[in-house]
Amino acid sequence: MNKIYHILRYEIITTLSRKSFLFVVFGAPILAVFIFFIISQINKGKSSTLGESKESPGKSDGLKVEGYVDYSGLIEEIPDDAPKGVLISYPDENSCKDNLSSGTISAYYVIPEDYLETGDLIYMNPHYSPSVSRGQSWVMTRTISANLLGNDPASVEKFRHVMNLKEKPLAPIKKSREPEASSFAMPYATALIFVMILMTSSSLLLHSVTEEKKNMVMEVLLSSVTPRQILTGKILGLGIVGLMQGAFWAGAGFSILSLRGGAQQVSFGFTHSIFILGWIIVSFIFGYFLYASMMAGLGAMSPNMKEASQATFLVIWPIILCLSLSGYLIPNAHGSVAVFLSLFPLTSPIVMLMRLVVGGVPWWQPVLALFLLAFAAILVVRSVARMFQASLLLSGQPMSARRYYRALLGRG
Amino acid sequence: MNVAQINNVTKTFGKTHAVNDLSFEVRKGEIFGLLGPNGAGKTTCIRLMLDIFKPDRGTISILGGAMSEEKKDRIGYLPEDRGLYQDIPLERCLVYLGTLKGLSSSEARKRVTPFLEKFDLSLHKKKKIKELSKGMQQKAQIIATLLHQPELIIIDEPFSGLDPVNTQMVKDMIRNLRNQGTTILMSTHQMRQVEELCERILLINEGRGVLYGKLEDIQRQHTGSDLYVRIDGSLPPLPCVLQIASYNKGYKLTLGEGISSQEILRALIERNIRVEQFEIAVPSLDEIFIRTVKKVG
């Protein structure tokens, strides 16, 4: 046990003292946060300048000033609980266009005459971006709602909390919600970050094993510890590094979203965020054990880093498959393909994560996915521990897919 | 008492018998030489002793029984293919390898310092291993082998990559360790070092033991067919001498079967030849090695 601790400690310290690794894990996110911070400061400066110089001082929270033309005559006043100075009324569209081109407003709404019949509203934004533009539409929604309810605060309050909905699905949900641009981006980005962390940690393990083979350290190690101790120490050590990386990236990601004023947007997908967070952590641990063990097996069987790197496809193809299919899986998050892949251990850490972020997944499915993933991870770790033997670690035989899969299935 | 006892051990890889029914013992406090041509099975034999490989047949007893984690900590191993982490500082590498031999980090660090001083590596302790010369790396590997004060040291080609000064230093160190009671199993191709250091040897060829015992006894067994002779004048024809070769201002005579050195000496005296040197040639280990391997082959 003590020796496993020493191996684990060595792997953590060695990995964290590598400059390239430090840059990828810490430098890149810090740089990204810094860039977004600068951008947000510039944007903040711009919008506050606009706000102060025009007719609506005192507006808040870095929201941009937007205009509206109300042909329906619905909006009599801006409600008290809407941010002040964010919406400016104009008599016609031409005035809006003039103010837009002069930079007084960043976008404008047109409320048509027949709004009450059709419910249609036109949003004119010269810098349209699916993930950002809808960020402050709630101001207009709140304004219209209040005016529809006669600007009575009690009615508005009741309207906002019209019911306390508790979802209890009775059967698998066949059809997902209509995908919005951000509801695709969020699951995809979350899964992508998850994959990157998983792959970084697993690749570190592969690199560590092949490096020790190349440097002939393996024989020295084997005279002191058993192959199983080496494998355990490495998996645990590099897993901890992966979790640290994940925590840091998640923190950086949240900081970026906060700077963009999008932190609120994140919460819409994470209706059960604690549950999802818990699921992500546990599935990362099992997913890491699964993939890292397979990578370690690859390292044990490959004579050098070059062959090992070329053979990584044998391990990561399920991940590539998931990411390639994400365009189909996210809009059809509750279709049979998505459900199958979210339960299949090699793909569940990614596909289930996508589905959870989209929402509406029956509780038993993530639980079952975790159970299957844990079971598969245990089987694979045991199988790779058998592969991780001296005759393989010290051999220079060329790598072959057939040999690898046979060894993984215990037939090597 | 035997530190290692190998009984009828066989190890095969596919159809190749790397070690074939091999038996020998290593006694406490001796320097034992494991010799053999390339591919003879020396490294496999060492790996079997270290429990890196499991034997197909036979038994191996190390330090009084089967190998265990605790026993691994009492053995030092210097492999032929030197293995050190290239991208980390020397001191950290040695401390880490020490901890894998059961030392605490602080104890390992404490022990590294005097070793680095002894091997003139103190100034390089913060350098990465890959920045050190081959000789320095060799010395670092020796430190890693000795750091935990093992009872049994297994060293494979300990002198490769060392200059004459460091070779002498390692030889002295091996002798000192032996004098302190440490048992050393040395595998090498350098027969002169074996002759200088080892008390007993095992010569293996194609996985089998072909010569085993005390070095003196083995040399005596192979003595008797050659003579070194220096005389005043030229050598006359002598009976039953198969070959005459010039040797160090004299001659090396290879005698035929059944003829003794006494008969040659008598023949020279009878011819009134003044004999300046008459010496029975003790064959070098090199010669015994080549002769034996050729004979077996």
Side-chain angles (χ1 to χ4, degrees):
Chain A
M1 197 64 197
N2 194 31
K3 290 184 180 177
I4 292 174
Y5 164 73
H6 284 300
I7 296 169
L8 173 159
R9 192 165 163 262
Y10 172 81
E11 293 296 337
I12 293 174
I13 293 171
T14 308
T15 308
L16 292 181
S17 57
R18 244 182 242 140
K19 282 176 192 163
S20 55
F21 180 80
L22 288 178
F23 178 75
V24 170
V25 176
F26 303 111
I30 288 172
L31 197 67
V33 171
F34 179 72
I35 290 168
F36 275 99
F37 176 75
I38 298 292
I39 292 169
S40 69
Q41 288 303 108
I42 292 167
N43 287 343
K44 218 174 190 175
K46 270 185 186 172
S47 49
S48 64
T49 310
L50 285 171
E52 279 159 19
S53 63
K54 302 294 168 186
E55 53 199 279
S56 305
K59 63 149 205 68
S60 58
D61 298 335
L63 293 169
K64 291 178 178 176
V65 180
E66 293 181 329
Y68 70 91
V69 191
D70 183 11
Y71 294 120
S72 69
L74 172 71
I75 299 177
E76 290 173 2
E77 60 175 302
I78 304 292
D80 292 342
D81 59 353
K84 289 196 168 47
V86 173
L87 285 177
I88 300 170
S89 174
Y90 290 98
D92 53 48
E93 220 174 326
N94 285 337
S95 313
C96 283
K97 280 178 187 166
D98 291 345
N99 282 286
L100 186 66
S101 53
S102 70
T104 310
I105 56 173
S106 61
Y108 66 87
Y109 295 91
V110 177
I111 306 170
E113 242 177 303
D114 59 350
Y115 167 73
L116 286 174
E117 285 91 62
T118 63
D120 289 342
L121 200 75
I122 298 159
Y123 183 56
M124 305 294 285
N125 186 345
H127 308 293
Y128 181 78
S129 163
S131 58
V132 177
S133 305
R134 298 174 67 88
Q136 63 180 71
S137 63
W138 60 273
V139 181
M140 178 52 85
T141 309
R142 191 170 284 190
T143 304
I144 290 177
S145 310
N147 282 279
L148 281 169
L149 295 166
N151 287 314
D152 172 28
S155 303
V156 170
E157 187 59 26
K158 195 158 189 181
F159 172 72
R160 277 194 199 133
H161 301 99
V162 68
M163 63 178 174
N164 196 8
L165 183 66
K166 288 182 180 172
E167 289 181 69
K168 285 190 178 176
L170 295 171
I173 296 159
K174 295 287 182 196
K175 206 173 175 182
S176 67
R177 297 182 313 194
E178 204 56 36
E180 300 170 46
S182 52
S183 70
F184 175 82
M186 193 53 66
Y188 185 77
T190 315
L192 196 64
I193 290 171
F194 184 87
V195 166
M196 284 169 78
I197 295 166
L198 196 68
M199 284 299 97
T200 309
S201 315
S202 305
S203 302
L204 284 172
L205 190 61
L206 176 72
H207 182 264
S208 171
V209 174
T210 47
E211 194 69 14
E212 281 168 358
K213 285 182 82 173
K214 189 186 95 182
N215 289 339
M216 310 288 181
V217 185
M218 198 51 91
E219 189 160 2
V220 178
L221 295 183
L222 288 171
S223 71
S224 308
V225 289
T226 61
R228 204 166 280 210
Q229 284 174 316
I230 298 174
L231 179 68
T232 312
K234 282 182 185 300
I235 286 184
L236 292 178
L238 295 172
I240 291 168
V241 171
L243 279 175
M244 285 163 68
Q245 182 188 1
F248 194 80
W249 280 19
F254 193 78
S255 303
I256 290 171
L257 285 168
S258 302
L259 288 169
R260 291 177 64 176
Q264 284 171 313
Q265 276 183 302
V266 182
S267 62
F268 86 91
F270 289 87
T271 45
H272 307 286
S273 56
I274 297 297
F275 175 73
I276 294 179
L277 191 65
W279 194 92
I280 288 174
I281 292 169
V282 179
S283 79
F284 172 80
I285 292 168
F286 288 124
Y288 166 74
F289 273 118
L290 185 72
Y291 276 99
S293 306
M294 290 197 292
M295 286 286 201
L298 207 60
M301 294 194 81
S302 304
N304 51 50
M305 189 64 200
K306 192 180 161 193
E307 280 202 33
S309 303
Q310 285 167 350
T312 48
F313 183 76
L314 299 176
V315 172
I316 62 167
W317 66 264
I319 290 174
I320 295 172
L321 179 77
C322 293
L323 292 178
S324 311
L325 291 178
S326 58
Y328 169 77
L329 293 172
I330 294 170
N332 299 287
H334 304 294
S336 52
V337 177
V339 171
F340 172 77
L341 290 176
S342 68
L343 295 176
F344 182 61
L346 287 173
T347 49
S348 66
I350 300 139
V351 180
M352 183 57 83
L353 180 60
M354 289 176 181
R355 293 184 63 214
L356 284 173
V357 176
V358 168
V361 181
W363 68 268
W364 60 267
Q365 288 187 7
V367 173
L368 177 63
L370 270 191
F371 177 77
L372 293 173
L373 179 62
F375 185 66
I378 291 166
L379 285 183
V380 170
V381 169
R382 287 177 62 167
S383 174
V384 171
R386 278 196 301 271
M387 282 163 75
F388 222 74
Q389 50 179 276
S391 53
L392 272 178
L393 291 170
L394 299 174
S395 89
Q397 280 188 54
M399 176 72 199
S400 85
R402 191 164 172 268
R403 255 183 78 220
Y404 175 69
Y405 285 130
R406 279 179 66 86
L408 206 57
L409 294 170
R411 293 174 194 164
Chain B
M1 184 202 163
N2 294 335
V3 168
Q5 180 81 48
I6 284 80
N7 293 321
N8 308 106
V9 166
T10 296
K11 178 72 185 174
T12 52
F13 294 106
K15 289 174 183 171
T16 309
H17 278 74
V19 169
N20 196 351
D21 199 28
L22 190 66
S23 297
F24 66 95
E25 63 193 33
V26 182
R27 294 173 191 162
K28 186 171 169 53
E30 74 172 346
I31 303 175
F32 185 84
L34 182 62
L35 318 175
N38 292 333
K42 298 189 297 291
T43 303
T44 304
C45 179
I46 288 172
R47 286 174 178 173
L48 286 164
M49 290 176 73
L50 289 165
D51 202 36
I52 293 175
F53 290 159
K54 306 280 180 201
D56 298 332
R57 274 200 305 278
T59 58
I60 297 172
S61 166
I62 301 287
L63 298 166
M67 181 62 88
S68 63
E69 192 174 324
E70 178 266 330
K71 279 182 186 165
K72 282 190 172 186
D73 294 349
R74 293 158 62 195
I75 300 172
Y77 176 43
L78 179 79
E80 184 180 6
D81 296 321
R82 308 296 183 235
L84 292 170
Y85 292 96
Q86 295 295 306
D87 286 317
I88 63 168
L90 169 64
E91 189 183 32
R92 213 173 97 209
C93 178
L94 293 174
V95 169
Y96 174 55
L97 294 177
T99 59
L100 295 186
K101 284 292 186 186
L103 299 176
S104 66
S105 297
S106 57
E107 180 61 27
R109 201 164 289 115
K110 209 187 291 173
R111 289 190 190 190
V112 162
T113 309
F115 268 110
L116 290 175
E117 280 166 14
K118 189 175 174 183
F119 283 85
D120 290 328
L121 289 172
S122 296
L123 293 173
H124 307 284
K125 66 179 181 182
K126 299 289 176 201
K127 281 187 186 167
K128 287 182 179 176
I129 303 278
K130 66 182 177 190
E131 293 165 4
L132 304 178
S133 70
K134 199 180 167 194
M136 285 177 182
Q137 289 191 31
Q138 170 75 334
K139 288 197 271 185
Q141 190 90 53
I142 291 170
I143 296 173
T145 310
L146 303 178
L147 194 63
H148 57 293
Q149 295 175 340
E151 293 168 45
L152 168 64
I153 299 175
I154 298 174
I155 41 182
D156 207 347
E157 295 296 346
F159 307 106
S160 78
L162 293 180
D163 59 32
V165 175
N166 284 311
T167 300
Q168 189 56 48
M169 190 188 70
V170 172
K171 269 198 266 186
D172 293 342
M173 190 195 66
I174 289 172
R175 283 197 193 97
N176 284 340
L177 286 166
R178 192 262 319 269
N179 294 341
Q180 289 163 19
T182 308
T183 308
I184 296 153
L185 184 147
M186 184 170 82
S187 168
T188 180
H189 287 109
Q190 297 183 28
M191 299 300 159
R192 265 189 57 206
Q193 319 293 7
V194 175
E195 283 174 317
E196 271 186 58
L197 293 167
C198 297
E199 287 113 46
R200 296 191 315 123
I201 62 158
L202 168 70
L203 173 65
I204 57 175
N205 190 39
E206 293 176 353
R208 287 180 181 276
V210 289
L211 273 180
Y212 174 52
K214 280 180 93 173
L215 186 58
E216 281 173 23
D217 294 345
I218 289 169
Q219 284 179 317
R220 200 173 299 127
Q221 283 163 21
H222 288 78
T223 301
S225 57
D226 288 350
L227 286 176
Y228 296 128
V229 177
R230 196 161 71 226
I231 56 169
D232 187 12
S234 59
L235 194 70
L238 292 166
C240 298
V241 173
L242 299 178
Q243 197 181 340
I244 298 170
S246 296
Y247 177 82
N248 198 21
K249 294 180 183 171
Y251 304 97
K252 184 182 177 186
L253 311 182
T254 304
L255 308 185
E257 212 165 309
I259 186 138
S260 73
S261 53
Q262 292 301 314
E263 288 170 70
I264 299 294
L265 182 61
R266 200 178 301 128
L268 290 169
I269 292 168
E270 280 169 2
R271 286 171 171 81
N272 287 324
I273 293 168
R274 200 170 138 244
V275 178
E276 291 173 352
Q277 183 193 2
F278 189 88
E279 187 187 333
I280 295 167
V282 176
S284 70
L285 199 52
D286 255 333
E287 289 169 312
I288 297 172
F289 180 97
I290 293 165
R291 217 181 285 166
T292 309
V293 169
K294 273 186 179 168
K295 198 161 80 183
V296 173

